[in-house]
Amino acid sequence: MSFTARAQELQPDLVRLRRALHQEPELGFDLPRTQEKVLAALEGLPLEITLGKGLSSVTAVLRGAKPGGAVLLRGDMDALPVTERSGVAYASRIPGAMHACGHDLHTAGLVGAATLLAERREQLQGDVVFMFQPGEEGHNGASLMIEEGVLDAAGKPLDAAYALHVAANTLPGGWIATRPGTVTSASDILTVTVRGKGGHGSTPYSAKDPIPVACEIVTAIQTWVTRRFDLFDPAVVTVGTFHAGTQQNVIPDTATFEATVRSYSEVAHERLIEGLPRLVRGIAEAHGVEAEVDYKVSYPVTVNAPDETAFAIDTARDLFDKDEVWQAPNPANGSEDFAFVLQRVPGAMLMIGAAPEGTDVANAPMNHSPMAVFDDAVLARQAALLAALAERRLARGTVA
Protein backbone atom coordinates (compact mmCIF):
# COMPACT_ATOMS: atom_id res chain seq x y z
CA MET A 1 0.00 0.00 0.00
CA SER A 2 1.29 3.48 -0.86
CA PHE A 3 2.17 5.97 1.82
CA THR A 4 -0.67 8.25 0.71
CA ALA A 5 -3.30 5.50 0.88
CA ARG A 6 -2.10 4.18 4.25
CA ALA A 7 -1.87 7.72 5.65
CA GLN A 8 -5.53 8.23 4.80
CA GLU A 9 -6.34 5.15 6.89
CA LEU A 10 -4.39 6.69 9.78
CA GLN A 11 -6.15 10.05 9.39
CA PRO A 12 -8.80 9.52 12.13
CA ASP A 13 -6.11 8.67 14.70
CA LEU A 14 -4.01 11.65 13.63
CA VAL A 15 -7.01 13.98 13.94
CA ARG A 16 -7.74 12.74 17.46
CA LEU A 17 -4.11 13.30 18.47
CA ARG A 18 -3.95 16.74 16.88
CA ARG A 19 -7.16 17.90 18.57
CA ALA A 20 -6.05 16.57 21.95
CA LEU A 21 -2.81 18.53 21.56
CA HIS A 22 -4.72 21.61 20.42
CA GLN A 23 -7.00 21.59 23.45
CA GLU A 24 -4.10 21.38 25.90
CA PRO A 25 -1.29 23.58 24.51
CA GLU A 26 1.95 24.11 26.44
CA LEU A 27 4.61 26.79 26.14
CA GLY A 28 8.38 26.85 25.89
CA PHE A 29 10.59 23.96 26.99
CA ASP A 30 8.34 22.35 29.59
CA LEU A 31 5.65 20.34 27.77
CA PRO A 32 4.94 17.35 30.05
CA ARG A 33 1.39 16.68 28.86
CA THR A 34 2.39 17.06 25.22
CA GLN A 35 5.32 14.68 25.73
CA GLU A 36 2.97 12.20 27.40
CA LYS A 37 0.58 12.28 24.44
CA VAL A 38 3.41 11.76 21.96
CA LEU A 39 4.80 8.80 23.89
CA ALA A 40 1.34 7.23 24.07
CA ALA A 41 0.91 7.67 20.30
CA LEU A 42 4.30 6.04 19.62
CA GLU A 43 3.71 3.13 22.00
CA GLY A 44 4.14 -0.25 20.34
CA LEU A 45 6.31 1.02 17.49
CA PRO A 46 9.85 -0.43 17.21
CA LEU A 47 11.57 2.79 18.26
CA GLU A 48 14.55 3.63 20.45
CA ILE A 49 13.24 6.53 22.52
CA THR A 50 15.25 9.09 24.47
CA LEU A 51 13.70 11.91 26.51
CA GLY A 52 15.29 15.32 26.89
CA LYS A 53 16.97 16.40 30.12
CA GLY A 54 16.70 20.17 29.84
CA LEU A 55 13.43 20.17 27.90
CA SER A 56 10.42 17.90 27.28
CA SER A 57 11.75 16.56 23.99
CA VAL A 58 11.30 13.12 22.47
CA THR A 59 13.96 11.62 20.20
CA ALA A 60 12.89 8.37 18.56
CA VAL A 61 15.11 6.26 16.30
CA LEU A 62 13.74 3.69 13.87
CA ARG A 63 16.33 1.14 12.75
CA GLY A 64 15.75 -0.05 9.22
CA ALA A 65 16.18 -3.76 8.57
CA LYS A 66 18.65 -3.05 5.77
CA PRO A 67 22.01 -1.28 6.15
CA GLY A 68 22.28 2.34 5.12
CA GLY A 69 22.56 5.91 6.27
CA ALA A 70 20.34 8.06 8.47
CA VAL A 71 17.75 10.79 7.93
CA LEU A 72 16.18 13.16 10.48
CA LEU A 73 12.54 14.31 10.45
CA ARG A 74 11.55 17.15 12.77
CA GLY A 75 8.25 18.29 14.27
CA ASP A 76 8.02 21.12 16.81
CA MET A 77 5.52 20.81 19.67
CA ASP A 78 5.21 24.10 21.60
CA ALA A 79 2.35 26.60 21.48
CA LEU A 80 2.18 30.39 21.71
CA PRO A 81 1.10 32.72 24.55
CA VAL A 82 -2.10 33.65 22.68
CA THR A 83 -5.72 33.45 23.84
CA GLU A 84 -7.61 31.53 21.17
CA ARG A 85 -10.57 33.14 19.37
CA SER A 86 -10.84 30.75 16.39
CA GLY A 87 -14.26 29.42 17.35
CA VAL A 88 -13.42 25.78 16.57
CA ALA A 89 -15.10 23.11 18.67
CA TYR A 90 -11.76 21.79 19.93
CA ALA A 91 -10.34 25.20 20.92
CA SER A 92 -7.69 25.56 23.60
CA ARG A 93 -8.85 24.94 27.15
CA ILE A 94 -5.79 26.73 28.56
CA PRO A 95 -6.23 30.51 28.98
CA GLY A 96 -3.43 32.44 27.33
CA ALA A 97 -2.06 29.50 25.32
CA MET A 98 -2.90 28.40 21.76
CA HIS A 99 -1.43 26.34 18.96
CA ALA A 100 -1.61 29.42 16.78
CA CYS A 101 1.31 28.32 14.60
CA GLY A 102 0.13 24.81 13.88
CA HIS A 103 2.73 22.89 15.85
CA ASP A 104 0.00 20.48 16.95
CA LEU A 105 -0.28 19.47 13.29
CA HIS A 106 3.50 19.16 13.00
CA THR A 107 3.55 16.80 15.99
CA ALA A 108 0.66 14.64 14.80
CA GLY A 109 2.06 14.54 11.26
CA LEU A 110 5.42 13.33 12.56
CA VAL A 111 3.71 10.61 14.61
CA GLY A 112 1.97 9.56 11.40
CA ALA A 113 5.29 9.42 9.53
CA ALA A 114 6.82 7.29 12.31
CA THR A 115 3.89 4.88 12.06
CA LEU A 116 4.14 4.62 8.28
CA LEU A 117 7.88 4.02 8.31
CA ALA A 118 7.70 1.51 11.16
CA GLU A 119 5.28 -0.51 9.04
CA ARG A 120 7.88 -0.50 6.23
CA ARG A 121 10.84 -1.23 8.49
CA GLU A 122 11.78 -4.44 6.61
CA GLN A 123 12.31 -2.44 3.41
CA LEU A 124 13.99 0.55 5.04
CA GLN A 125 17.61 1.04 3.97
CA GLY A 126 18.95 2.82 7.03
CA ASP A 127 17.70 4.64 10.11
CA VAL A 128 15.28 7.50 10.75
CA VAL A 129 15.54 9.95 13.65
CA PHE A 130 12.24 11.56 14.70
CA MET A 131 12.88 14.90 16.44
CA PHE A 132 9.90 15.99 18.55
CA GLN A 133 11.05 19.44 19.64
CA PRO A 134 9.82 21.87 22.31
CA GLY A 135 10.76 25.53 22.48
CA GLU A 136 10.71 26.60 18.84
CA GLU A 137 8.77 29.80 19.47
CA GLY A 138 11.68 32.03 20.37
CA HIS A 139 13.31 29.64 22.84
CA ASN A 140 15.78 27.90 20.48
CA GLY A 141 14.82 24.39 21.47
CA ALA A 142 16.57 23.01 18.38
CA SER A 143 19.97 24.10 19.69
CA LEU A 144 19.31 22.54 23.09
CA MET A 145 18.27 19.26 21.45
CA ILE A 146 21.45 19.41 19.36
CA GLU A 147 23.48 19.91 22.54
CA GLU A 148 21.72 16.89 24.04
CA GLY A 149 22.68 14.77 21.03
CA VAL A 150 19.72 14.57 18.64
CA LEU A 151 22.00 14.77 15.59
CA ASP A 152 24.03 11.83 16.94
CA ALA A 153 21.06 9.70 17.97
CA ALA A 154 21.44 7.29 15.05
CA GLY A 155 25.07 6.63 15.93
CA LYS A 156 26.13 7.64 12.44
CA PRO A 157 26.27 10.89 10.42
CA LEU A 158 22.94 12.15 9.13
CA ASP A 159 22.59 12.25 5.36
CA ALA A 160 19.68 14.71 5.35
CA ALA A 161 17.09 16.46 7.52
CA TYR A 162 13.57 17.58 6.62
CA ALA A 163 10.74 19.52 8.26
CA LEU A 164 7.27 20.65 7.24
CA HIS A 165 5.54 23.81 8.45
CA VAL A 166 1.83 24.48 8.02
CA ALA A 167 0.45 27.82 6.85
CA ALA A 168 -2.99 29.12 7.85
CA ASN A 169 -3.08 31.48 4.87
CA THR A 170 -1.08 32.25 1.70
CA LEU A 171 -1.20 28.65 0.40
CA PRO A 172 -4.38 26.71 -0.48
CA GLY A 173 -5.01 23.68 1.70
CA GLY A 174 -2.62 20.83 0.92
CA TRP A 175 -0.41 22.82 -1.45
CA ILE A 176 3.31 22.57 -0.85
CA ALA A 177 5.99 25.21 -1.42
CA THR A 178 9.70 25.52 -0.79
CA ARG A 179 12.79 26.94 -2.43
CA PRO A 180 16.55 26.38 -2.53
CA GLY A 181 18.75 28.70 -0.48
CA THR A 182 17.20 31.07 2.02
CA VAL A 183 13.74 29.83 2.96
CA THR A 184 13.12 31.86 6.14
CA SER A 185 14.74 34.98 7.54
CA ALA A 186 17.17 35.46 10.37
CA SER A 187 15.56 36.94 13.47
CA ASP A 188 17.18 39.14 16.11
CA ILE A 189 15.91 41.36 18.94
CA LEU A 190 17.09 44.95 19.42
CA THR A 191 16.41 46.55 22.81
CA VAL A 192 17.41 50.19 23.35
CA THR A 193 17.22 52.24 26.54
CA VAL A 194 17.98 55.94 26.16
CA ARG A 195 19.14 57.43 29.47
CA GLY A 196 18.66 61.16 29.93
CA LYS A 197 17.82 63.38 32.88
CA GLY A 198 14.27 63.82 34.11
CA GLY A 199 12.61 67.13 34.84
CA HIS A 200 9.50 69.29 34.53
CA GLY A 201 7.72 69.31 31.21
CA SER A 202 7.57 73.12 31.21
CA THR A 203 11.37 73.47 31.26
CA PRO A 204 12.83 70.83 28.94
CA TYR A 205 16.05 72.86 28.60
CA SER A 206 16.87 72.03 32.23
CA ALA A 207 16.53 68.30 31.62
CA LYS A 208 17.81 65.84 29.05
CA ASP A 209 14.65 64.48 27.50
CA PRO A 210 15.17 60.87 26.28
CA ILE A 211 11.86 60.66 24.41
CA PRO A 212 12.65 62.77 21.32
CA VAL A 213 16.07 61.11 21.11
CA ALA A 214 14.48 57.65 21.16
CA CYS A 215 11.93 58.80 18.56
CA GLU A 216 14.73 60.10 16.33
CA ILE A 217 16.54 56.78 16.64
CA VAL A 218 13.40 54.87 15.61
CA THR A 219 12.99 57.07 12.53
CA ALA A 220 16.70 56.97 11.68
CA ILE A 221 16.72 53.17 11.75
CA GLN A 222 14.11 53.07 9.00
CA THR A 223 16.08 55.46 6.82
CA TRP A 224 19.34 53.62 7.52
CA VAL A 225 17.85 50.29 6.44
CA THR A 226 16.67 51.69 3.10
CA ARG A 227 20.05 53.25 2.38
CA ARG A 228 22.40 50.51 3.59
CA PHE A 229 20.77 47.36 2.19
CA ASP A 230 20.29 46.09 -1.34
CA LEU A 231 16.65 45.90 -2.37
CA PHE A 232 17.30 42.30 -3.40
CA ASP A 233 18.96 41.43 -0.07
CA PRO A 234 16.76 43.42 2.30
CA ALA A 235 16.48 43.93 6.03
CA VAL A 236 13.39 44.66 8.10
CA VAL A 237 13.43 46.44 11.47
CA THR A 238 10.06 46.86 13.17
CA VAL A 239 9.69 48.57 16.54
CA GLY A 240 7.04 46.68 18.48
CA THR A 241 7.20 48.33 21.90
CA PHE A 242 7.98 51.87 23.09
CA HIS A 243 7.80 52.82 26.76
CA ALA A 244 8.54 56.14 28.45
CA GLY A 245 7.16 58.42 31.13
CA THR A 246 4.40 58.37 33.68
CA GLN A 247 2.56 61.69 33.18
CA GLN A 248 2.14 64.38 30.53
CA ASN A 249 4.10 67.08 32.38
CA VAL A 250 6.99 64.92 33.58
CA ILE A 251 10.14 64.36 31.54
CA PRO A 252 11.31 60.85 32.36
CA ASP A 253 14.85 59.66 32.93
CA THR A 254 14.60 56.89 30.33
CA ALA A 255 12.84 55.78 27.18
CA THR A 256 12.97 52.17 25.99
CA PHE A 257 11.95 50.44 22.80
CA GLU A 258 12.21 46.93 21.37
CA ALA A 259 12.39 45.89 17.74
CA THR A 260 12.40 42.70 15.74
CA VAL A 261 15.22 42.59 13.16
CA ARG A 262 14.95 40.36 10.07
CA SER A 263 17.45 39.61 7.31
CA TYR A 264 17.82 37.10 4.49
CA SER A 265 21.54 36.51 4.11
CA GLU A 266 24.53 36.15 6.39
CA VAL A 267 26.06 39.28 4.82
CA ALA A 268 23.01 41.38 5.72
CA HIS A 269 22.80 39.72 9.13
CA GLU A 270 26.37 40.67 10.01
CA ARG A 271 25.84 44.23 8.81
CA LEU A 272 22.84 44.61 11.12
CA ILE A 273 24.71 43.18 14.10
CA GLU A 274 27.53 45.70 13.62
CA GLY A 275 25.65 48.70 12.25
CA LEU A 276 22.50 49.06 14.34
CA PRO A 277 24.20 49.47 17.74
CA ARG A 278 26.67 51.94 16.23
CA LEU A 279 23.83 54.02 14.73
CA VAL A 280 21.88 54.07 18.00
CA ARG A 281 24.85 55.09 20.12
CA GLY A 282 25.90 57.76 17.63
CA ILE A 283 22.53 59.51 17.69
CA ALA A 284 22.39 59.37 21.49
CA GLU A 285 25.88 60.84 21.77
CA ALA A 286 24.94 63.67 19.40
CA HIS A 287 22.19 64.65 21.83
CA GLY A 288 24.36 64.36 24.92
CA VAL A 289 22.61 61.33 26.37
CA GLU A 290 23.52 57.66 26.68
CA ALA A 291 21.99 54.66 24.95
CA GLU A 292 22.19 51.13 26.28
CA VAL A 293 21.93 48.68 23.39
CA ASP A 294 21.13 44.99 23.78
CA TYR A 295 21.36 43.24 20.42
CA LYS A 296 20.28 39.60 20.85
CA VAL A 297 21.04 37.27 17.97
CA SER A 298 18.19 34.75 17.94
CA TYR A 299 17.74 32.57 14.84
CA PRO A 300 20.00 32.58 11.78
CA VAL A 301 18.84 32.43 8.18
CA THR A 302 17.27 29.05 7.36
CA VAL A 303 19.06 27.76 4.27
CA ASN A 304 17.80 24.83 2.21
CA ALA A 305 20.43 22.76 0.39
CA PRO A 306 19.70 23.00 -3.37
CA ASP A 307 20.01 19.25 -4.05
CA GLU A 308 17.83 18.32 -1.08
CA THR A 309 15.25 20.93 -2.07
CA ALA A 310 15.04 19.59 -5.62
CA PHE A 311 14.70 16.06 -4.24
CA ALA A 312 11.93 17.15 -1.85
CA ILE A 313 10.00 18.92 -4.61
CA ASP A 314 10.30 15.87 -6.89
CA THR A 315 9.12 13.59 -4.09
CA ALA A 316 6.10 15.78 -3.36
CA ARG A 317 5.20 15.92 -7.05
CA ASP A 318 5.35 12.13 -7.26
CA LEU A 319 2.94 11.82 -4.34
CA PHE A 320 0.50 14.61 -5.12
CA ASP A 321 -0.87 16.72 -7.97
CA LYS A 322 2.12 18.39 -9.63
CA ASP A 323 0.23 21.68 -9.85
CA GLU A 324 -0.06 21.74 -6.04
CA VAL A 325 3.71 21.65 -5.50
CA TRP A 326 5.71 24.70 -6.46
CA GLN A 327 9.00 26.47 -5.93
CA ALA A 328 8.46 29.68 -4.00
CA PRO A 329 10.01 32.79 -5.60
CA ASN A 330 10.88 34.44 -2.28
CA PRO A 331 11.77 33.42 1.27
CA ALA A 332 9.18 33.53 4.05
CA ASN A 333 9.44 36.42 6.50
CA GLY A 334 9.19 34.27 9.60
CA SER A 335 12.15 32.61 11.29
CA GLU A 336 12.90 29.04 12.33
CA ASP A 337 15.30 27.35 14.70
CA PHE A 338 15.39 24.40 12.28
CA ALA A 339 18.05 26.67 10.79
CA PHE A 340 20.48 25.29 13.40
CA VAL A 341 19.87 21.75 12.14
CA LEU A 342 20.37 22.81 8.52
CA GLN A 343 23.66 24.50 9.45
CA ARG A 344 24.98 21.02 10.31
CA VAL A 345 23.01 18.70 8.05
CA PRO A 346 21.96 19.25 4.41
CA GLY A 347 18.22 19.27 4.10
CA ALA A 348 15.09 21.28 3.43
CA MET A 349 12.12 22.88 5.13
CA LEU A 350 8.84 22.87 3.22
CA MET A 351 5.62 24.80 3.77
CA ILE A 352 2.24 23.10 3.43
CA GLY A 353 -1.05 24.95 3.18
CA ALA A 354 -3.50 24.14 5.97
CA ALA A 355 -6.28 26.60 5.22
CA PRO A 356 -9.73 24.98 5.37
CA GLU A 357 -11.44 24.33 2.05
CA GLY A 358 -13.16 27.41 0.69
CA THR A 359 -10.92 29.82 2.62
CA ASP A 360 -9.85 33.05 0.95
CA VAL A 361 -6.17 32.44 1.64
CA ALA A 362 -5.20 35.99 0.72
CA ASN A 363 -7.28 37.41 3.58
CA ALA A 364 -7.46 34.57 6.11
CA PRO A 365 -5.97 35.02 9.61
CA MET A 366 -2.31 34.13 9.50
CA ASN A 367 -0.09 32.01 11.74
CA HIS A 368 0.18 33.48 15.27
CA SER A 369 -3.26 35.07 15.03
CA PRO A 370 -5.78 34.15 17.77
CA MET A 371 -8.21 33.63 14.89
CA ALA A 372 -5.97 31.23 12.92
CA VAL A 373 -7.61 27.97 11.81
CA PHE A 374 -5.69 24.97 10.48
CA ASP A 375 -7.43 22.14 8.66
CA ASP A 376 -7.02 18.56 9.92
CA ALA A 377 -7.24 17.40 6.31
CA VAL A 378 -3.53 18.03 5.74
CA LEU A 379 -2.40 15.58 8.43
CA ALA A 380 -2.37 12.55 6.15
CA ARG A 381 -0.51 14.50 3.48
CA GLN A 382 2.09 15.62 6.03
CA ALA A 383 2.64 12.07 7.27
CA ALA A 384 2.91 10.62 3.78
CA LEU A 385 5.33 13.26 2.54
CA LEU A 386 7.66 13.04 5.56
CA ALA A 387 7.69 9.24 5.34
CA ALA A 388 8.38 9.28 1.61
CA LEU A 389 11.19 11.81 2.00
CA ALA A 390 12.90 9.59 4.57
CA GLU A 391 12.43 6.29 2.74
CA ARG A 392 13.48 7.60 -0.67
CA ARG A 393 16.41 9.58 0.69
CA LEU A 394 17.76 6.50 2.47
CA ALA A 395 17.35 4.50 -0.73
CA ARG A 396 19.56 7.06 -2.54
CA GLY A 397 22.36 6.50 -0.05
CA THR A 398 25.06 8.98 0.85
CA VAL A 399 25.42 11.66 -1.82
CA ALA A 400 29.04 12.73 -2.39
Side-chain angles (χ1 to χ4, degrees):
M1 184 180 294
S2 70
F3 279 137
T4 51
R6 178 63 180 133
Q8 284 298 331
E9 291 184 350
L10 295 176
Q11 174 75 359
D13 290 337
L14 300 182
V15 170
R16 280 191 288 272
L17 174 59
R18 183 258 162 154
R19 294 189 176 191
L21 292 166
H22 192 90
Q23 288 181 316
E24 202 169 12
E26 296 176 293
L27 309 177
F29 291 135
D30 190 22
L31 318 179
R33 293 183 296 275
T34 300
Q35 185 186 65
E36 182 181 315
K37 292 180 179 69
V38 169
L39 292 173
L42 298 176
E43 188 174 0
L45 299 181
L47 300 169
E48 300 170 8
I49 293 179
T50 304
L51 304 185
K53 297 176 182 178
L55 70 175
S56 301
S57 62
V58 177
T59 299
V61 181
L62 175 65
R63 303 289 182 186
K66 298 181 179 181
V71 169
L72 180 143
L73 303 176
R74 180 271 217 158
D76 40 2
M77 305 190 294
D78 57 321
L80 282 159
V82 171
T83 298
E84 182 161 3
R85 293 191 289 115
S86 68
V88 298
Y90 50 90
S92 169
R93 297 172 179 170
I94 310 299
M98 175 190 176
H99 273 293
C101 203
H103 294 186
D104 49 338
L105 284 91
H106 300 171
T107 303
L110 189 58
V111 167
T115 305
L116 293 172
L117 289 166
E119 292 174 352
R120 298 269 277 266
R121 179 177 174 274
E122 294 304 315
Q123 291 78 44
L124 205 59
Q125 300 176 52
D127 305 332
V128 184
V129 178
F130 302 95
M131 178 182 177
F132 292 91
Q133 181 208 312
E136 191 280 327
E137 293 291 353
H139 300 278
N140 197 2
S143 287
L144 187 51
M145 286 194 72
I146 291 170
E147 290 175 12
E148 293 193 355
V150 69
L151 302 186
D152 304 311
K156 64 184 78 170
L158 292 168
D159 295 313
Y162 305 102
L164 294 178
H165 202 302
V166 294
N169 66 351
T170 308
L171 286 172
W175 285 41
I176 294 159
T178 190
R179 69 190 307 275
T182 299
V183 68
T184 70
S185 70
S187 174
D188 300 331
I189 301 170
L190 173 69
T191 304
V192 174
T193 298
V194 178
R195 296 195 177 279
K197 177 184 175 184
H200 198 287
S202 65
T203 56
Y205 50 84
S206 65
K208 291 185 178 180
D209 193 344
I211 293 178
V213 181
C215 291
E216 183 175 329
I217 292 170
V218 170
T219 303
I221 286 172
Q222 305 307 315
T223 303
W224 181 77
V225 164
T226 66
R227 292 299 179 267
R228 291 288 292 156
F229 291 85
D230 190 325
L231 288 172
F232 301 103
D233 186 14
V236 176
V237 183
T238 298
V239 175
T241 71
F242 193 110
H243 302 285
T246 57
Q247 187 168 301
Q248 46 81 24
N249 64 345
V250 177
I251 295 173
D253 287 325
T254 64
T256 300
F257 67 85
E258 294 176 302
T260 184
V261 183
R262 309 279 170 154
S263 53
Y264 301 86
S265 73
E266 284 305 317
V267 172
H269 194 199
E270 290 300 322
R271 184 175 295 164
L272 287 162
I273 293 169
E274 184 277 330
L276 273 176
R278 177 167 44 82
L279 174 69
V280 169
R281 292 190 181 104
I283 293 172
E285 184 179 358
H287 286 275
V289 298
E290 295 181 356
E292 292 181 4
V293 182
D294 179 15
Y295 192 102
K296 180 182 178 183
V297 177
S298 298
Y299 292 171
V301 176
T302 305
V303 181
N304 282 353
D307 289 349
E308 298 298 340
T309 306
F311 163 74
I313 290 173
D314 289 343
T315 300
R317 286 175 174 165
D318 283 346
L319 265 61
F320 313 119
D321 188 328
K322 290 180 173 57
D323 292 337
E324 296 176 355
V325 182
W326 60 294
Q327 182 169 309
N330 300 307
N333 293 330
S335 301
E336 253 293 342
D337 69 354
F338 191 60
F340 291 105
V341 175
L342 295 182
Q343 284 182 336
R344 295 162 176 81
V345 182
M349 167 163 271
L350 299 87
M351 300 296 295
I352 181 167
E357 186 176 358
T359 298
D360 177 4
V361 294
N363 297 301
M366 65 189 302
N367 289 29
H368 289 218
S369 166
M371 304 290 288
V373 177
F374 302 89
D375 195 348
D376 292 325
V378 303
L379 288 167
R381 185 167 283 212
Q382 287 177 258
L385 179 53
L386 285 170
L389 286 169
E391 184 185 67
R392 295 185 185 195
R393 185 61 183 81
L394 288 173
R396 288 177 63 195
T398 301
V399 178

